[in-house]
Amino acid sequence: MKTIFDKATRDELIARINTLNENSTAQWGKMNVYQMAKHSTLWVEWVLGKEKYRQAFIGRLFGKMALKGVLKDENPLRRNTPTLAELKVQESNGDLGSEKKKWAALIDELAHFSNPGFVHTFFGRMTKEQVGYMAYKHMDHHLRQFNS
């Protein structure tokens, strides 16, 4: 399974990010390309520990079981998977070029991941290995959303 902690995988994701442009349109979901890029940078900042959010009660009940299901194979994340309210981007316009550069820089920063206390708001506490797989799956999900 691909992991964000593999340099070739990070390079592949960054190359895919660089194919995004203002005319990229979503194959599903409600976000435009800028909102998706901004959402993705916020998500990586959260994984890196720059932001913290509490685990939802429903996640305490079902999170570990759901994580096991998501990470059991290489299948991509399902379309229209719900997102954390704090990571929903309201502004519809912004500088896509700057957001892409920020996202790529954050992906490079993941090479030195050191957030052993990471708690996903639904899945709960995750190991570094689980974070690596989930980070790839999350970014792949959104890049496929925009045919990148």
Side-chain angles (χ1 to χ4, degrees):
M1 193 173 322
K2 289 189 176 185
T3 176
I4 197 68
F5 301 127
D6 176 62
K7 181 170 178 10
T9 299
R10 287 192 307 277
D11 291 346
E12 170 208 324
L13 289 170
I14 291 168
R16 290 169 65 189
I17 288 167
N18 288 329
T19 68
L20 296 169
N21 63 59
E22 300 290 344
N23 296 320
S24 298
T25 56
Q27 303 304 301
W28 69 84
K30 299 175 184 174
M31 290 188 279
N32 66 32
V33 67
Y34 169 76
Q35 289 170 319
M36 180 277 293
K38 178 74 175 181
H39 161 80
S40 297
T41 60
L42 293 171
W43 193 90
V44 179
E45 287 175 338
W46 171 48
V47 168
L48 286 167
K50 297 178 183 202
E51 295 291 335
K52 295 203 185 304
Y53 304 109
R54 298 187 64 189
Q55 186 177 12
F57 178 72
I58 190 103
R60 291 177 196 253
L61 297 175
F62 302 109
K64 286 293 178 198
M65 184 172 47
L67 180 63
K68 188 176 180 181
V70 168
L71 297 182
K72 73 178 187 251
D73 55 33
E74 294 191 24
N75 288 340
L77 297 177
R78 288 185 356 252
R79 293 180 176 197
N80 299 310
T81 302
T83 191
L84 180 63
E86 291 87 348
L87 300 180
K88 289 183 180 176
V89 176
Q90 300 305 315
E91 71 262 18
S92 60
N93 294 315
D95 185 347
L96 179 61
S98 293
E99 210 56 48
K100 286 170 38 177
K101 285 179 187 167
K102 183 176 180 182
W103 187 8
L106 287 166
I107 289 172
D108 281 337
E109 203 173 316
L110 282 166
H112 310 290
F113 177 79
S114 179
N115 186 9
F118 178 68
V119 177
H120 190 281
T121 57
F122 184 72
F123 300 126
R125 186 169 304 279
M126 294 173 65
T127 66
K128 180 178 179 178
E129 182 180 55
Q130 291 169 328
V131 169
Y133 297 144
M134 182 57 73
Y136 173 78
K137 281 192 171 212
H138 182 259
M139 288 182 238
D140 174 67
H141 170 78
H142 286 299
L143 290 166
R144 282 185 311 98
Q145 180 183 13
F146 285 85
N147 281 330
S148 288

